[in-house]
Structure formats: structure tokens, C-alpha cells
Amino acid sequence: MSSFVFFFVPTVIFLGLVLPLWLVLHYAATWRASKGLSEEDKQTLEATLNELDRVEERLQTLETILDAEQPDWRDRHSA
């Protein structure tokens, strides 16, 4: 009986206290580590922002051309 208690009590303590705390701390650390963007995501975001800047410049150029050729184009197409 004493050998049963000798193995049973530490096992219950481990499964009841140590293991849950260990798992919670492990997954909390993993979550914090993966919270930010990866390098690939940062590069993709930067490329998308650069492309967006180019598209915005082109749109402004087209609007300038339309303003010069058809001054009232905004009024006709704003409805």
C-alpha cells in the first residue's frame, strides 16, 4: 500500500498542478511569439503599400487629364 501512495500522490500533484500550469505558460509564450507579423507578411504588406502608392499617383494623373479635357466630368458622373 505504501508504494502505491508513494507513486500516486506525486502523480496526482503533477497532473493537477504542474501539468496544467506548464501547458498554459507554454501556449501563452507561443501565442506572444507569433503575435506579430512574419518577415514574409511584412514584405508582402510593404509591396502592397508601394503598389497602392503607384495606383494612387496614376489615378491623380488621370483625374488631372480629365479635369483639363472635360472640366465638368465630376458633375456628370457623381450621381
Side-chain angles (χ1 to χ4, degrees):
M1 179 77 168
S2 68
S3 64
F4 176 73
V5 172
F6 180 73
F7 289 111
F8 181 72
V9 171
T11 303
V12 169
I13 291 172
F14 180 79
L15 292 176
L17 297 174
V18 177
L19 184 64
L21 184 62
W22 186 3
L23 288 173
V24 167
L25 292 176
H26 168 72
Y27 284 110
T30 304
W31 176 73
R32 261 188 256 117
S34 67
K35 193 174 181 182
L37 294 175
S38 68
E39 281 301 316
E40 183 180 349
D41 291 340
K42 288 178 184 177
Q43 290 174 353
T44 303
L45 181 61
E46 187 67 32
T48 303
L49 290 174
N50 289 338
E51 189 67 26
L52 182 63
D53 288 339
R54 288 184 55 227
V55 169
E56 187 176 8
E57 289 174 12
R58 292 178 71 183
L59 181 62
Q60 289 174 352
T61 303
L62 289 172
E63 287 179 346
T64 303
I65 293 169
L66 280 172
D67 285 336
E69 292 183 6
Q70 300 286 330
D72 60 339
W73 72 271
R74 291 179 195 261
D75 296 332
R76 289 186 290 165
H77 297 288
S78 64

